[in-house]
Amino acid sequence: MQEIAKMLDITSTEVAEIVGFYTLYHDKPAGKYRMQVCTDLPCALRGAGQFLEELCDHWASRLAKPPRMAW
């Protein structure tokens, strides 16, 4: 984060605030692909919970190692 702060001429605390606020920014390395499923109220009312469950079942059955889920 310090490198990014230097490039943008802001403090590393400001970079950390941005990373903490936005769900698609992360401060730790992750896998090659990242999926995110909306689970807020409007999405939940349209079946996001069931979709997420089916998605996890689908991918877990195809992967040697189960995916890490961040809720």
Side-chain angles (χ1 to χ4, degrees):
M1 282 195 230
Q2 290 177 351
E3 291 177 37
I4 295 170
K6 283 182 184 178
M7 287 190 305
L8 299 175
D9 195 30
I10 60 176
T11 67
S12 57
T13 302
E14 291 173 303
V15 174
E17 289 173 354
I18 294 166
V19 169
F21 181 78
Y22 291 101
T23 59
L24 293 177
Y25 291 135
H26 299 277
D27 59 350
K28 295 180 181 121
K32 184 175 180 180
Y33 301 104
R34 182 178 300 269
M35 282 201 269
Q36 184 171 331
V37 176
C38 172
T39 56
D40 63 9
L41 182 58
C43 295
L45 293 174
R46 295 187 56 105
Q50 181 180 354
F51 173 76
L52 182 57
E53 191 174 308
E54 290 176 15
L55 182 68
C56 291
D57 290 344
H58 172 82
W59 284 108
S61 67
R62 287 162 175 72
L63 299 173
K65 181 178 162 189
R68 264 188 330 172
M69 303 309 276
W71 305 103

Short mmCIF file of all heavy atoms in Angstrom, two decimals:
data_model
loop_
_atom_site.label_atom_id
_atom_site.label_comp_id
_atom_site.label_asym_id
_atom_site.label_seq_id
_atom_site.Cartn_x
_atom_site.Cartn_y
_atom_site.Cartn_z
N MET A 1 0.81 -1.18 0.00
CA MET A 1 0.00 0.00 0.00
C MET A 1 0.86 1.26 0.00
O MET A 1 0.43 2.28 -0.49
CB MET A 1 -0.94 -0.02 1.19
CG MET A 1 -2.14 -0.92 0.99
SD MET A 1 -3.42 -0.59 2.19
CE MET A 1 -3.71 -2.23 2.76
N GLN A 2 2.05 1.14 0.57
CA GLN A 2 2.93 2.30 0.60
C GLN A 2 3.37 2.71 -0.80
O GLN A 2 3.47 3.90 -1.09
CB GLN A 2 4.14 2.02 1.48
CG GLN A 2 3.79 1.93 2.95
CD GLN A 2 4.98 1.59 3.81
OE1 GLN A 2 6.04 1.25 3.31
NE2 GLN A 2 4.80 1.67 5.12
N GLU A 3 3.60 1.72 -1.67
CA GLU A 3 4.00 2.04 -3.04
C GLU A 3 2.88 2.80 -3.77
O GLU A 3 3.14 3.76 -4.48
CB GLU A 3 4.34 0.77 -3.80
CG GLU A 3 5.60 0.08 -3.33
CD GLU A 3 5.85 -1.21 -4.06
OE1 GLU A 3 5.57 -1.28 -5.28
OE2 GLU A 3 6.32 -2.15 -3.42
N ILE A 4 1.66 2.35 -3.58
CA ILE A 4 0.51 3.01 -4.21
C ILE A 4 0.35 4.42 -3.66
O ILE A 4 0.09 5.36 -4.40
CB ILE A 4 -0.77 2.17 -4.03
CG1 ILE A 4 -0.63 0.84 -4.77
CG2 ILE A 4 -2.00 2.94 -4.48
CD1 ILE A 4 -1.69 -0.16 -4.48
N ALA A 5 0.51 4.56 -2.35
CA ALA A 5 0.41 5.88 -1.72
C ALA A 5 1.44 6.84 -2.30
O ALA A 5 1.13 8.00 -2.59
CB ALA A 5 0.58 5.76 -0.21
N LYS A 6 2.66 6.36 -2.51
CA LYS A 6 3.70 7.21 -3.10
C LYS A 6 3.34 7.61 -4.53
O LYS A 6 3.51 8.76 -4.92
CB LYS A 6 5.05 6.47 -3.10
CG LYS A 6 5.71 6.43 -1.76
CD LYS A 6 7.05 5.72 -1.85
CE LYS A 6 7.68 5.58 -0.48
NZ LYS A 6 8.96 4.85 -0.53
N MET A 7 2.85 6.64 -5.32
CA MET A 7 2.48 6.95 -6.70
C MET A 7 1.38 7.99 -6.77
O MET A 7 1.37 8.85 -7.65
CB MET A 7 2.01 5.67 -7.43
CG MET A 7 3.12 4.72 -7.77
SD MET A 7 2.63 3.38 -8.87
CE MET A 7 1.25 2.64 -8.04
N LEU A 8 0.43 7.91 -5.84
CA LEU A 8 -0.73 8.82 -5.86
C LEU A 8 -0.52 10.06 -5.00
O LEU A 8 -1.40 10.92 -4.94
CB LEU A 8 -1.98 8.07 -5.40
CG LEU A 8 -2.38 6.87 -6.25
CD1 LEU A 8 -3.55 6.14 -5.62
CD2 LEU A 8 -2.73 7.33 -7.66
N ASP A 9 0.61 10.13 -4.32
CA ASP A 9 0.93 11.25 -3.44
C ASP A 9 -0.14 11.44 -2.37
O ASP A 9 -0.64 12.54 -2.14
CB ASP A 9 1.14 12.53 -4.25
CG ASP A 9 1.82 13.61 -3.43
OD1 ASP A 9 2.61 13.26 -2.52
OD2 ASP A 9 1.55 14.81 -3.68
N ILE A 10 -0.50 10.31 -1.73
CA ILE A 10 -1.42 10.34 -0.59
C ILE A 10 -0.81 9.46 0.49
O ILE A 10 0.17 8.76 0.26
CB ILE A 10 -2.85 9.85 -0.97
CG1 ILE A 10 -2.81 8.40 -1.48
CG2 ILE A 10 -3.49 10.78 -1.99
CD1 ILE A 10 -4.19 7.83 -1.78
N THR A 11 -1.39 9.48 1.68
CA THR A 11 -0.85 8.66 2.77
C THR A 11 -1.28 7.21 2.61
O THR A 11 -2.30 6.91 1.97
CB THR A 11 -1.34 9.18 4.13
OG1 THR A 11 -2.75 8.96 4.24
CG2 THR A 11 -1.01 10.64 4.32
N SER A 12 -0.53 6.31 3.22
CA SER A 12 -0.89 4.89 3.17
C SER A 12 -2.20 4.64 3.93
O SER A 12 -2.93 3.72 3.62
CB SER A 12 0.22 4.01 3.72
OG SER A 12 0.55 4.37 5.03
N THR A 13 -2.50 5.49 4.90
CA THR A 13 -3.78 5.39 5.61
C THR A 13 -4.94 5.67 4.67
O THR A 13 -5.97 4.98 4.72
CB THR A 13 -3.81 6.39 6.80
OG1 THR A 13 -2.72 6.10 7.66
CG2 THR A 13 -5.12 6.28 7.56
N GLU A 14 -4.79 6.64 3.78
CA GLU A 14 -5.85 6.93 2.81
C GLU A 14 -6.04 5.76 1.84
O GLU A 14 -7.17 5.44 1.48
CB GLU A 14 -5.53 8.22 2.05
CG GLU A 14 -5.62 9.46 2.93
CD GLU A 14 -5.14 10.71 2.23
OE1 GLU A 14 -3.97 10.70 1.78
OE2 GLU A 14 -5.93 11.67 2.12
N VAL A 15 -4.95 5.14 1.45
CA VAL A 15 -5.06 3.96 0.58
C VAL A 15 -5.79 2.85 1.32
O VAL A 15 -6.69 2.21 0.77
CB VAL A 15 -3.67 3.47 0.11
CG1 VAL A 15 -3.79 2.17 -0.67
CG2 VAL A 15 -2.98 4.54 -0.71
N ALA A 16 -5.44 2.61 2.57
CA ALA A 16 -6.10 1.58 3.37
C ALA A 16 -7.59 1.85 3.54
O ALA A 16 -8.40 0.92 3.52
CB ALA A 16 -5.43 1.47 4.74
N GLU A 17 -7.96 3.11 3.68
CA GLU A 17 -9.38 3.47 3.78
C GLU A 17 -10.13 3.09 2.52
O GLU A 17 -11.24 2.57 2.57
CB GLU A 17 -9.53 4.97 4.04
CG GLU A 17 -9.12 5.40 5.42
CD GLU A 17 -9.12 6.91 5.59
OE1 GLU A 17 -9.35 7.66 4.60
OE2 GLU A 17 -8.89 7.37 6.72
N ILE A 18 -9.52 3.35 1.38
CA ILE A 18 -10.15 3.02 0.10
C ILE A 18 -10.27 1.51 -0.06
O ILE A 18 -11.33 1.00 -0.44
CB ILE A 18 -9.36 3.65 -1.07
CG1 ILE A 18 -9.45 5.17 -1.00
CG2 ILE A 18 -9.87 3.13 -2.41
CD1 ILE A 18 -8.47 5.90 -1.87
N VAL A 19 -9.20 0.80 0.25
CA VAL A 19 -9.21 -0.66 0.14
C VAL A 19 -10.27 -1.25 1.07
O VAL A 19 -10.97 -2.19 0.70
CB VAL A 19 -7.81 -1.24 0.45
CG1 VAL A 19 -7.85 -2.75 0.61
CG2 VAL A 19 -6.83 -0.86 -0.64
N GLY A 20 -10.40 -0.71 2.25
CA GLY A 20 -11.38 -1.20 3.21
C GLY A 20 -12.82 -0.90 2.81
O GLY A 20 -13.74 -1.64 3.17
N PHE A 21 -13.03 0.16 2.07
CA PHE A 21 -14.39 0.57 1.71
C PHE A 21 -14.93 -0.21 0.51
O PHE A 21 -16.06 -0.68 0.53
CB PHE A 21 -14.43 2.07 1.41
CG PHE A 21 -15.79 2.58 1.04
CD1 PHE A 21 -16.74 2.80 2.02
CD2 PHE A 21 -16.12 2.82 -0.28
CE1 PHE A 21 -18.02 3.26 1.69
CE2 PHE A 21 -17.38 3.28 -0.63
CZ PHE A 21 -18.33 3.50 0.36
N TYR A 22 -14.14 -0.35 -0.52
CA TYR A 22 -14.60 -1.00 -1.75
C TYR A 22 -14.39 -2.50 -1.69
O TYR A 22 -13.32 -2.97 -1.34
CB TYR A 22 -13.89 -0.41 -2.97
CG TYR A 22 -14.30 1.01 -3.25
CD1 TYR A 22 -13.50 2.07 -2.87
CD2 TYR A 22 -15.51 1.28 -3.87
CE1 TYR A 22 -13.88 3.38 -3.12
CE2 TYR A 22 -15.91 2.59 -4.12
CZ TYR A 22 -15.08 3.63 -3.73
OH TYR A 22 -15.47 4.91 -3.97
N THR A 23 -15.40 -3.26 -2.05
CA THR A 23 -15.35 -4.71 -1.91
C THR A 23 -14.46 -5.39 -2.95
O THR A 23 -14.07 -6.53 -2.76
CB THR A 23 -16.76 -5.32 -2.02
OG1 THR A 23 -17.33 -4.96 -3.28
CG2 THR A 23 -17.64 -4.82 -0.90
N LEU A 24 -14.13 -4.73 -4.04
CA LEU A 24 -13.31 -5.37 -5.06
C LEU A 24 -11.82 -5.06 -4.92
O LEU A 24 -11.00 -5.55 -5.68
CB LEU A 24 -13.79 -4.98 -6.46
CG LEU A 24 -15.17 -5.54 -6.82
CD1 LEU A 24 -15.60 -5.04 -8.19
CD2 LEU A 24 -15.16 -7.05 -6.80
N TYR A 25 -11.45 -4.24 -3.94
CA TYR A 25 -10.04 -3.99 -3.64
C TYR A 25 -9.65 -4.86 -2.44
O TYR A 25 -10.40 -4.96 -1.48
CB TYR A 25 -9.79 -2.52 -3.30
CG TYR A 25 -9.94 -1.58 -4.47
CD1 TYR A 25 -10.63 -0.40 -4.32
CD2 TYR A 25 -9.39 -1.86 -5.70
CE1 TYR A 25 -10.77 0.48 -5.39
CE2 TYR A 25 -9.53 -0.99 -6.77
CZ TYR A 25 -10.21 0.17 -6.59
OH TYR A 25 -10.36 1.05 -7.64
N HIS A 26 -8.47 -5.46 -2.50
CA HIS A 26 -8.03 -6.33 -1.42
C HIS A 26 -6.58 -6.04 -1.07
O HIS A 26 -5.79 -5.69 -1.93
CB HIS A 26 -8.19 -7.80 -1.83
CG HIS A 26 -9.61 -8.14 -2.12
ND1 HIS A 26 -10.52 -8.47 -1.15
CD2 HIS A 26 -10.29 -8.16 -3.29
CE1 HIS A 26 -11.70 -8.69 -1.71
NE2 HIS A 26 -11.58 -8.50 -3.01
N ASP A 27 -6.26 -6.23 0.19
CA ASP A 27 -4.90 -5.97 0.64
C ASP A 27 -4.05 -7.23 0.72
O ASP A 27 -2.89 -7.16 1.09
CB ASP A 27 -4.90 -5.22 1.97
CG ASP A 27 -5.59 -5.99 3.07
OD1 ASP A 27 -6.24 -7.00 2.79
OD2 ASP A 27 -5.49 -5.56 4.23
N LYS A 28 -4.61 -8.38 0.37
CA LYS A 28 -3.88 -9.64 0.37
C LYS A 28 -4.06 -10.32 -0.98
O LYS A 28 -5.12 -10.21 -1.59
CB LYS A 28 -4.40 -10.55 1.48
CG LYS A 28 -4.16 -9.99 2.87
CD LYS A 28 -4.68 -10.92 3.93
CE LYS A 28 -4.43 -10.30 5.29
NZ LYS A 28 -5.61 -10.08 6.06
N PRO A 29 -3.05 -11.05 -1.43
CA PRO A 29 -3.19 -11.76 -2.71
C PRO A 29 -4.33 -12.78 -2.64
O PRO A 29 -4.61 -13.35 -1.59
CB PRO A 29 -1.85 -12.48 -2.87
CG PRO A 29 -0.92 -11.82 -1.93
CD PRO A 29 -1.74 -11.24 -0.83
N ALA A 30 -4.96 -12.99 -3.77
CA ALA A 30 -6.06 -13.95 -3.84
C ALA A 30 -5.81 -14.88 -5.01
O ALA A 30 -4.77 -14.83 -5.65
CB ALA A 30 -7.38 -13.20 -4.00
N GLY A 31 -6.78 -15.69 -5.32
CA GLY A 31 -6.65 -16.62 -6.43
C GLY A 31 -6.65 -15.89 -7.77
O GLY A 31 -6.76 -14.67 -7.85
N LYS A 32 -6.53 -16.67 -8.81
CA LYS A 32 -6.47 -16.11 -10.16
C LYS A 32 -7.79 -15.43 -10.53
O LYS A 32 -7.81 -14.40 -11.18
CB LYS A 32 -6.14 -17.22 -11.16
CG LYS A 32 -5.96 -16.73 -12.57
CD LYS A 32 -5.52 -17.86 -13.48
CE LYS A 32 -5.33 -17.36 -14.90
NZ LYS A 32 -4.89 -18.42 -15.80
N TYR A 33 -8.89 -16.02 -10.12
CA TYR A 33 -10.21 -15.47 -10.42
C TYR A 33 -10.93 -15.15 -9.13
O TYR A 33 -10.76 -15.82 -8.13
CB TYR A 33 -11.04 -16.46 -11.23
CG TYR A 33 -10.39 -16.84 -12.53
CD1 TYR A 33 -9.76 -18.06 -12.68
CD2 TYR A 33 -10.37 -15.96 -13.61
CE1 TYR A 33 -9.15 -18.42 -13.87
CE2 TYR A 33 -9.77 -16.29 -14.80
CZ TYR A 33 -9.16 -17.52 -14.92
OH TYR A 33 -8.55 -17.86 -16.09
N ARG A 34 -11.76 -14.14 -9.16
CA ARG A 34 -12.53 -13.75 -7.99
C ARG A 34 -13.98 -13.55 -8.42
O ARG A 34 -14.24 -12.87 -9.41
CB ARG A 34 -11.98 -12.44 -7.41
CG ARG A 34 -12.69 -11.98 -6.18
CD ARG A 34 -12.07 -10.72 -5.64
NE ARG A 34 -10.68 -10.88 -5.29
CZ ARG A 34 -10.26 -11.25 -4.08
NH1 ARG A 34 -11.11 -11.49 -3.13
NH2 ARG A 34 -8.96 -11.37 -3.85
N MET A 35 -14.88 -14.17 -7.70
CA MET A 35 -16.31 -14.00 -7.98
C MET A 35 -16.96 -13.34 -6.78
O MET A 35 -16.59 -13.62 -5.64
CB MET A 35 -16.98 -15.35 -8.22
CG MET A 35 -16.72 -15.91 -9.57
SD MET A 35 -17.96 -17.11 -10.03
CE MET A 35 -17.22 -18.59 -9.43
N GLN A 36 -17.89 -12.48 -7.07
CA GLN A 36 -18.62 -11.82 -6.02
C GLN A 36 -20.10 -11.89 -6.36
O GLN A 36 -20.50 -11.62 -7.50
CB GLN A 36 -18.17 -10.36 -5.90
CG GLN A 36 -18.81 -9.63 -4.78
CD GLN A 36 -18.17 -8.27 -4.57
OE1 GLN A 36 -16.99 -8.07 -4.87
NE2 GLN A 36 -18.93 -7.33 -4.08
N VAL A 37 -20.91 -12.28 -5.40
CA VAL A 37 -22.36 -12.38 -5.60
C VAL A 37 -23.04 -11.39 -4.68
O VAL A 37 -22.77 -11.35 -3.49
CB VAL A 37 -22.87 -13.82 -5.29
CG1 VAL A 37 -24.37 -13.90 -5.42
CG2 VAL A 37 -22.19 -14.82 -6.22
N CYS A 38 -23.90 -10.60 -5.25
CA CYS A 38 -24.66 -9.61 -4.48
C CYS A 38 -25.59 -10.35 -3.51
O CYS A 38 -26.33 -11.24 -3.91
CB CYS A 38 -25.48 -8.76 -5.44
SG CYS A 38 -26.63 -7.65 -4.62
N THR A 39 -25.53 -9.98 -2.23
CA THR A 39 -26.41 -10.60 -1.24
C THR A 39 -27.15 -9.55 -0.41
O THR A 39 -27.66 -9.86 0.66
CB THR A 39 -25.60 -11.51 -0.29
OG1 THR A 39 -24.55 -10.74 0.30
CG2 THR A 39 -25.01 -12.70 -1.03
N ASP A 40 -27.21 -8.30 -0.92
CA ASP A 40 -27.96 -7.29 -0.17
C ASP A 40 -29.46 -7.58 -0.31
O ASP A 40 -29.87 -8.54 -0.94
CB ASP A 40 -27.59 -5.88 -0.62
CG ASP A 40 -27.94 -5.60 -2.08
OD1 ASP A 40 -28.61 -6.43 -2.71
OD2 ASP A 40 -27.51 -4.54 -2.59
N LEU A 41 -30.30 -6.77 0.30
CA LEU A 41 -31.73 -7.06 0.37
C LEU A 41 -32.39 -7.24 -0.99
O LEU A 41 -33.08 -8.24 -1.21
CB LEU A 41 -32.46 -5.99 1.19
CG LEU A 41 -33.96 -6.21 1.37
CD1 LEU A 41 -34.24 -7.55 2.04
CD2 LEU A 41 -34.57 -5.07 2.16
N PRO A 42 -32.23 -6.32 -1.95
CA PRO A 42 -32.88 -6.52 -3.24
C PRO A 42 -32.45 -7.83 -3.92
O PRO A 42 -33.28 -8.54 -4.49
CB PRO A 42 -32.45 -5.30 -4.07
CG PRO A 42 -32.15 -4.25 -3.07
CD PRO A 42 -31.57 -5.00 -1.90
N CYS A 43 -31.17 -8.15 -3.83
CA CYS A 43 -30.69 -9.40 -4.44
C CYS A 43 -31.23 -10.60 -3.68
O CYS A 43 -31.58 -11.62 -4.27
CB CYS A 43 -29.17 -9.42 -4.46
SG CYS A 43 -28.46 -8.15 -5.53
N ALA A 44 -31.27 -10.50 -2.35
CA ALA A 44 -31.79 -11.59 -1.53
C ALA A 44 -33.25 -11.88 -1.87
O ALA A 44 -33.67 -13.03 -1.95
CB ALA A 44 -31.64 -11.25 -0.05
N LEU A 45 -34.01 -10.82 -2.10
CA LEU A 45 -35.42 -11.00 -2.45
C LEU A 45 -35.59 -11.69 -3.81
O LEU A 45 -36.62 -12.30 -4.07
CB LEU A 45 -36.14 -9.65 -2.46
CG LEU A 45 -36.28 -8.98 -1.09
CD1 LEU A 45 -36.87 -7.58 -1.25
CD2 LEU A 45 -37.13 -9.83 -0.16
N ARG A 46 -34.58 -11.59 -4.65
CA ARG A 46 -34.64 -12.24 -5.97
C ARG A 46 -33.95 -13.60 -5.99
O ARG A 46 -33.72 -14.17 -7.04
CB ARG A 46 -34.03 -11.32 -7.02
CG ARG A 46 -34.85 -10.03 -7.19
CD ARG A 46 -34.34 -9.22 -8.33
NE ARG A 46 -34.32 -9.97 -9.56
CZ ARG A 46 -35.19 -9.84 -10.55
NH1 ARG A 46 -36.15 -8.95 -10.45
NH2 ARG A 46 -35.08 -10.55 -11.65
N GLY A 47 -33.57 -14.11 -4.79
CA GLY A 47 -33.03 -15.45 -4.71
C GLY A 47 -31.52 -15.57 -4.70
O GLY A 47 -30.97 -16.62 -5.03
N ALA A 48 -30.82 -14.52 -4.27
CA ALA A 48 -29.35 -14.54 -4.27
C ALA A 48 -28.80 -15.63 -3.35
O ALA A 48 -27.80 -16.26 -3.68
CB ALA A 48 -28.79 -13.19 -3.86
N GLY A 49 -29.45 -15.87 -2.23
CA GLY A 49 -28.98 -16.89 -1.29
C GLY A 49 -28.97 -18.27 -1.91
O GLY A 49 -28.00 -19.01 -1.82
N GLN A 50 -30.06 -18.60 -2.59
CA GLN A 50 -30.16 -19.91 -3.25
C GLN A 50 -29.16 -19.98 -4.40
O GLN A 50 -28.50 -21.01 -4.59
CB GLN A 50 -31.57 -20.15 -3.77
CG GLN A 50 -31.72 -21.50 -4.44
CD GLN A 50 -33.13 -21.74 -4.95
OE1 GLN A 50 -34.04 -20.95 -4.71
NE2 GLN A 50 -33.32 -22.84 -5.65
N PHE A 51 -29.03 -18.90 -5.16
CA PHE A 51 -28.07 -18.87 -6.25
C PHE A 51 -26.65 -19.09 -5.74
O PHE A 51 -25.89 -19.89 -6.29
CB PHE A 51 -28.15 -17.55 -7.01
CG PHE A 51 -27.07 -17.39 -8.03
CD1 PHE A 51 -27.13 -18.06 -9.24
CD2 PHE A 51 -25.98 -16.58 -7.78
CE1 PHE A 51 -26.12 -17.94 -10.18
CE2 PHE A 51 -24.96 -16.44 -8.71
CZ PHE A 51 -25.04 -17.12 -9.92
N LEU A 52 -26.29 -18.41 -4.66
CA LEU A 52 -24.95 -18.54 -4.09
C LEU A 52 -24.70 -19.97 -3.61
O LEU A 52 -23.63 -20.53 -3.84
CB LEU A 52 -24.77 -17.55 -2.94
CG LEU A 52 -23.41 -17.53 -2.26
CD1 LEU A 52 -22.30 -17.25 -3.27
CD2 LEU A 52 -23.39 -16.49 -1.15
N GLU A 53 -25.68 -20.55 -2.98
CA GLU A 53 -25.56 -21.93 -2.51
C GLU A 53 -25.34 -22.89 -3.68
O GLU A 53 -24.45 -23.75 -3.65
CB GLU A 53 -26.81 -22.32 -1.73
CG GLU A 53 -26.69 -23.61 -0.98
CD GLU A 53 -27.92 -23.86 -0.11
OE1 GLU A 53 -28.30 -22.96 0.66
OE2 GLU A 53 -28.48 -24.96 -0.22
N GLU A 54 -26.12 -22.73 -4.74
CA GLU A 54 -25.99 -23.60 -5.92
C GLU A 54 -24.64 -23.36 -6.61
O GLU A 54 -24.02 -24.30 -7.10
CB GLU A 54 -27.14 -23.37 -6.88
CG GLU A 54 -28.46 -23.89 -6.32
CD GLU A 54 -29.64 -23.59 -7.22
OE1 GLU A 54 -29.44 -23.23 -8.40
OE2 GLU A 54 -30.78 -23.70 -6.73
N LEU A 55 -24.21 -22.12 -6.66
CA LEU A 55 -22.92 -21.80 -7.26
C LEU A 55 -21.78 -22.48 -6.50
O LEU A 55 -20.89 -23.08 -7.10
CB LEU A 55 -22.72 -20.28 -7.27
CG LEU A 55 -21.45 -19.76 -7.90
CD1 LEU A 55 -21.47 -20.00 -9.42
CD2 LEU A 55 -21.29 -18.28 -7.62
N CYS A 56 -21.83 -22.41 -5.18
CA CYS A 56 -20.80 -23.05 -4.36
C CYS A 56 -20.82 -24.57 -4.55
O CYS A 56 -19.76 -25.19 -4.68
CB CYS A 56 -21.00 -22.71 -2.89
SG CYS A 56 -20.65 -20.98 -2.52
N ASP A 57 -22.00 -25.15 -4.56
CA ASP A 57 -22.11 -26.60 -4.79
C ASP A 57 -21.53 -26.97 -6.15
O ASP A 57 -20.82 -27.96 -6.29
CB ASP A 57 -23.56 -27.06 -4.70
CG ASP A 57 -24.12 -26.99 -3.29
OD1 ASP A 57 -23.30 -26.89 -2.34
OD2 ASP A 57 -25.35 -27.04 -3.14
N HIS A 58 -21.85 -26.18 -7.16
CA HIS A 58 -21.39 -26.44 -8.52
C HIS A 58 -19.86 -26.44 -8.58
O HIS A 58 -19.25 -27.36 -9.11
CB HIS A 58 -21.96 -25.39 -9.47
CG HIS A 58 -21.40 -25.45 -10.86
ND1 HIS A 58 -21.88 -26.33 -11.79
CD2 HIS A 58 -20.41 -24.76 -11.45
CE1 HIS A 58 -21.19 -26.17 -12.92
NE2 HIS A 58 -20.30 -25.21 -12.73
N TRP A 59 -19.24 -25.40 -8.04
CA TRP A 59 -17.79 -25.28 -8.14
C TRP A 59 -17.07 -26.20 -7.17
O TRP A 59 -16.00 -26.72 -7.50
CB TRP A 59 -17.35 -23.83 -7.95
CG TRP A 59 -17.63 -23.05 -9.19
CD1 TRP A 59 -18.59 -22.10 -9.35
CD2 TRP A 59 -16.98 -23.18 -10.45
NE1 TRP A 59 -18.57 -21.64 -10.63
CE2 TRP A 59 -17.60 -22.28 -11.34
CE3 TRP A 59 -15.95 -23.98 -10.92
CZ2 TRP A 59 -17.21 -22.16 -12.66
CZ3 TRP A 59 -15.55 -23.85 -12.25
CH2 TRP A 59 -16.19 -22.95 -13.10
N ALA A 60 -17.62 -26.43 -6.01
CA ALA A 60 -16.97 -27.32 -5.04
C ALA A 60 -16.86 -28.74 -5.58
O ALA A 60 -15.88 -29.43 -5.32
CB ALA A 60 -17.73 -27.31 -3.72
N SER A 61 -17.84 -29.16 -6.37
CA SER A 61 -17.80 -30.51 -6.93
C SER A 61 -16.79 -30.63 -8.07
O SER A 61 -16.44 -31.73 -8.46
CB SER A 61 -19.19 -30.92 -7.42
OG SER A 61 -19.57 -30.13 -8.54
N ARG A 62 -16.29 -29.52 -8.59
CA ARG A 62 -15.36 -29.55 -9.72
C ARG A 62 -13.93 -29.19 -9.34
O ARG A 62 -13.04 -29.26 -10.16
CB ARG A 62 -15.85 -28.59 -10.81
CG ARG A 62 -17.04 -29.14 -11.53
CD ARG A 62 -17.78 -28.04 -12.29
NE ARG A 62 -18.86 -28.56 -13.08
CZ ARG A 62 -20.00 -29.02 -12.58
NH1 ARG A 62 -20.19 -29.04 -11.29
NH2 ARG A 62 -20.96 -29.47 -13.38
N LEU A 63 -13.73 -28.78 -8.11
CA LEU A 63 -12.39 -28.35 -7.68
C LEU A 63 -11.79 -29.38 -6.74
O LEU A 63 -12.48 -29.97 -5.92
CB LEU A 63 -12.48 -27.01 -6.96
CG LEU A 63 -13.04 -25.85 -7.78
CD1 LEU A 63 -13.23 -24.64 -6.88
CD2 LEU A 63 -12.12 -25.51 -8.93
N ALA A 64 -10.50 -29.56 -6.86
CA ALA A 64 -9.81 -30.47 -5.95
C ALA A 64 -9.79 -29.89 -4.54
O ALA A 64 -9.85 -30.61 -3.56
CB ALA A 64 -8.39 -30.72 -6.43
N LYS A 65 -9.72 -28.57 -4.46
CA LYS A 65 -9.70 -27.88 -3.18
C LYS A 65 -10.92 -26.96 -3.14
O LYS A 65 -11.14 -26.18 -4.06
CB LYS A 65 -8.41 -27.06 -3.09
CG LYS A 65 -8.23 -26.31 -1.82
CD LYS A 65 -6.88 -25.59 -1.86
CE LYS A 65 -6.85 -24.50 -0.83
NZ LYS A 65 -5.68 -23.67 -0.97
N PRO A 66 -11.74 -27.04 -2.09
CA PRO A 66 -12.93 -26.17 -2.01
C PRO A 66 -12.54 -24.69 -2.05
O PRO A 66 -11.49 -24.33 -1.54
CB PRO A 66 -13.57 -26.52 -0.68
CG PRO A 66 -12.95 -27.80 -0.25
CD PRO A 66 -11.61 -27.89 -0.94
N PRO A 67 -13.37 -23.86 -2.64
CA PRO A 67 -13.07 -22.42 -2.70
C PRO A 67 -13.13 -21.79 -1.32
O PRO A 67 -13.86 -22.24 -0.45
CB PRO A 67 -14.16 -21.86 -3.60
CG PRO A 67 -15.27 -22.83 -3.50
CD PRO A 67 -14.66 -24.18 -3.25
N ARG A 68 -12.32 -20.76 -1.12
CA ARG A 68 -12.39 -19.96 0.10
C ARG A 68 -13.53 -18.98 -0.08
O ARG A 68 -13.58 -18.24 -1.04
CB ARG A 68 -11.11 -19.16 0.29
CG ARG A 68 -10.12 -19.78 1.18
CD ARG A 68 -8.99 -18.85 1.45
NE ARG A 68 -8.77 -17.94 0.33
CZ ARG A 68 -7.94 -16.92 0.35
NH1 ARG A 68 -7.27 -16.66 1.40
NH2 ARG A 68 -7.78 -16.16 -0.70
N MET A 69 -14.44 -18.98 0.84
CA MET A 69 -15.58 -18.08 0.74
C MET A 69 -15.39 -16.93 1.72
O MET A 69 -15.09 -17.16 2.88
CB MET A 69 -16.89 -18.81 1.04
CG MET A 69 -17.13 -20.02 0.14
SD MET A 69 -16.96 -19.66 -1.60
CE MET A 69 -18.57 -19.04 -1.93
N ALA A 70 -15.52 -15.74 1.24
CA ALA A 70 -15.47 -14.56 2.10
C ALA A 70 -16.87 -13.98 2.17
O ALA A 70 -17.45 -13.62 1.17
CB ALA A 70 -14.50 -13.53 1.50
N TRP A 71 -17.40 -13.95 3.34
CA TRP A 71 -18.77 -13.45 3.50
C TRP A 71 -18.73 -12.05 4.04
O TRP A 71 -18.07 -11.61 4.80
CB TRP A 71 -19.56 -14.34 4.44
CG TRP A 71 -19.55 -15.75 4.00
CD1 TRP A 71 -18.81 -16.75 4.55
CD2 TRP A 71 -20.24 -16.35 2.91
NE1 TRP A 71 -19.02 -17.92 3.87
CE2 TRP A 71 -19.89 -17.71 2.87
CE3 TRP A 71 -21.11 -15.88 1.96
CZ2 TRP A 71 -20.39 -18.58 1.93
CZ3 TRP A 71 -21.61 -16.75 1.03
CH2 TRP A 71 -21.25 -18.09 1.01
#
